[in-house]
Amino acid sequence: MEASALGPARRGRRRTRAAGSLLSRAAILLFISAFLVRVPSSVGHLVRLPRGFRLTKDSVKIVGSTHFPVKVYVMLHQKSPHVLCVTQRLRNAELIDPSFQWHGPKGKIVSENRTAQITSTGSLVFQNFEESMSGIYTCFLEYKPTVEEIVKRLQLKYAIYAYREPHYYYQFTARYHAAPCNSIYNISFEKKLIQILSKLLLDLSCEISLLKSECHHIKMQRAGLQNELFFTFSVSSLDTEKGPKPCTDHNCEPSKRLFKAKNLIERFFNQQVEILGRRAERLPEIYYIEGTLQMVWINRCFPGYGMNVQQHPKCPECCVICSPGSYNPRDGIHCLQCNSSLVYGAKTCL
């Protein structure tokens, strides 16, 4: 079947006989246009504890309760909020000769501890919170309401959990008309495509990962046998501290960067369709098949962590460390029940 017998930019077109040319002029134009795309600015802020929120400001203070353990969430490897050894009622009251004593999962906490500090007013602060620090913390408070009254004693409990941002990413699939499945040009094109997409997202500190690339023979109605490449790749955000360019403003939030990355990738594939549609000559050896780009948003928690809105309503989109009695062995969403698990952050059920 002649190429002219097929409609422009349709799947049934016959590939060009020029097998020696990997990147045609159209591909080069796509490469150039990819870098001319500008990322639109966006503004916004978060009002609760969703993904990307870090409890690092000294102004964040948490008070206790005499009725139930207060839950505290500390991002892994970050500074904690100030955990106060008072109730809401006592927070602004005068306390005569107050005495504070903290106990954690490993026993009494002293003020000289390198990872946990007790301030002069009895607040507990973690400088670099680790998984092993998760657990129940108890503060014993002694004070006099007035000079004449006897000493009063309170016991305040806190359940302190490490949490991490979810490992969320976009997964894309796309199909390309290909050279014969045993051709080295398919492999070269695959590498070049990933390089172009990676450079396209460089300023967003996002990473492209090729998950799967397969070549299949497709029998088309009235178009004979075709060779097609099935690409599956993911787009995830890099740690902004480790990325190629430091990122410090509110637009550094991973979800914002990923959303911009998604728009750039969609625009890149749409531009391929537009450029191929304007071609007067026959199509290149390998070209994108219009309408085959598909995208899925995927949420995952790291092993030992999970999401649970019922158990952690104040941190609904956080991956909170699994409590004793549960575990997460892989990149799932939830901590699974395991009665024999006695530690925080269990990755196996023993």
Side-chain angles (χ1 to χ4, degrees):
M1 181 178 292
E2 294 295 327
S4 58
L6 303 175
R10 295 180 61 88
R11 296 176 50 177
R13 284 180 171 167
R14 182 176 177 174
R15 68 180 186 276
T16 181
R17 299 179 184 275
S21 174
L22 172 62
L23 287 178
S24 63
R25 278 194 299 171
I28 295 174
L29 286 173
L30 292 176
F31 183 87
I32 295 173
S33 63
F35 302 116
L36 294 178
V37 175
R38 292 291 180 264
V39 181
S41 60
S42 62
V43 295
H45 64 280
L46 300 168
V47 295
R48 50 184 176 142
L49 282 175
R51 53 177 74 102
F53 186 82
R54 287 179 169 81
L55 293 170
T56 57
K57 296 183 179 180
D58 291 343
S59 59
V60 179
K61 301 179 187 297
I62 298 176
V63 297
S65 171
T66 56
H67 305 294
F68 53 84
V70 173
K71 293 181 179 180
V72 182
Y73 302 95
V74 185
M75 178 170 277
L76 192 64
H77 305 310
Q78 298 294 324
K79 185 178 179 180
S80 75
H82 283 228
V83 183
L84 308 185
C85 188
V86 290
T87 62
Q88 184 64 43
R89 184 179 66 84
L90 295 176
R91 183 173 182 179
N92 298 318
E94 288 187 349
L95 305 182
I96 307 298
D97 297 328
S99 172
F100 311 94
Q101 188 176 109
W102 281 93
H103 287 258
K106 298 180 181 179
K108 184 178 178 180
I109 301 174
V110 296
S111 58
E112 292 79 14
N113 193 310
R114 290 183 300 174
T115 56
Q117 297 178 355
I118 301 175
T119 67
S120 59
T121 56
S123 298
L124 178 64
V125 183
F126 297 94
Q127 297 300 323
N128 182 20
F129 200 78
E130 303 289 345
E131 287 184 359
S132 60
M133 298 177 186
S134 299
I136 300 297
Y137 288 77
T138 305
C139 180
F140 299 93
L141 169 63
E142 294 184 359
Y143 71 98
K144 287 184 177 183
T146 64
V147 176
E148 293 78 15
E149 293 186 66
I150 62 172
V151 173
K152 290 194 173 184
R153 295 176 176 85
L154 290 181
Q155 180 177 313
L156 307 177
K157 288 185 177 294
Y158 299 85
I160 303 183
Y161 299 91
Y163 80 93
R164 306 179 67 165
E165 291 181 346
H167 176 55
Y168 41 85
Y169 57 92
Y170 284 110
Q171 181 172 297
F172 292 87
T173 57
R175 293 163 65 176
Y176 277 77
H177 188 282
C181 285
N182 60 353
S183 172
I184 61 172
Y185 297 114
N186 291 336
I187 299 175
S188 299
F189 180 82
E190 166 193 308
K191 293 179 180 178
K192 195 65 179 179
L193 177 64
I194 296 301
Q195 289 175 2
I196 293 172
L197 292 173
S198 297
K199 195 163 186 179
L200 177 66
L201 306 182
L202 183 64
D203 290 342
L204 294 177
S205 295
C206 288
E207 180 181 39
I208 298 281
S209 298
L210 181 64
L211 303 180
K212 185 169 61 175
S213 176
E214 297 177 343
C215 183
H216 295 278
H217 303 294
I218 310 295
K219 184 181 182 302
M220 304 297 299
Q221 186 177 7
R222 298 188 301 274
L225 196 64
Q226 306 284 329
N227 302 307
E228 291 188 9
L229 287 173
F230 288 67
F231 286 113
T232 302
F233 60 93
S234 65
V235 180
S236 56
S237 63
L238 292 169
D239 187 334
T240 52
E241 286 78 17
K242 298 178 182 177
K245 292 186 178 181
C247 191
T248 56
D249 62 18
H250 65 277
N251 287 318
C252 288
E253 183 194 338
S255 59
K256 292 181 183 291
R257 290 186 281 120
L258 280 175
F259 182 74
K260 292 179 181 179
K262 176 187 75 73
N263 289 339
L264 288 177
I265 289 174
E266 289 176 337
R267 191 181 308 176
F268 172 77
F269 280 91
N270 288 335
Q271 287 173 341
Q272 293 186 63
V273 176
E274 294 172 3
I275 293 176
L276 289 174
R278 293 197 297 265
R279 284 178 60 95
E281 63 271 23
R282 287 191 286 185
L283 290 174
E285 182 83 18
I286 303 173
Y287 61 87
Y288 168 64
I289 299 173
E290 181 179 359
T292 61
L293 182 68
Q294 302 293 326
M295 178 207 67
V296 177
W297 171 268
I298 297 178
N299 259 346
R300 290 291 184 269
C301 288
F302 292 92
Y305 291 77
M307 293 184 184
N308 190 322
V309 177
Q310 287 73 35
Q311 186 177 356
H312 305 292
K314 291 186 178 180
C315 209
E317 296 176 348
C318 306
C319 287
V320 181
I321 195 166
C322 295
S323 301
S326 63
Y327 77 111
N328 184 3
R330 55 189 178 274
D331 290 347
I333 296 294
H334 307 292
C335 296
L336 309 176
Q337 184 175 357
C338 175
N339 294 331
S340 60
S341 173
L342 303 177
V343 297
Y344 285 85
K347 301 175 180 63
T348 58
C349 185
L350 300 175

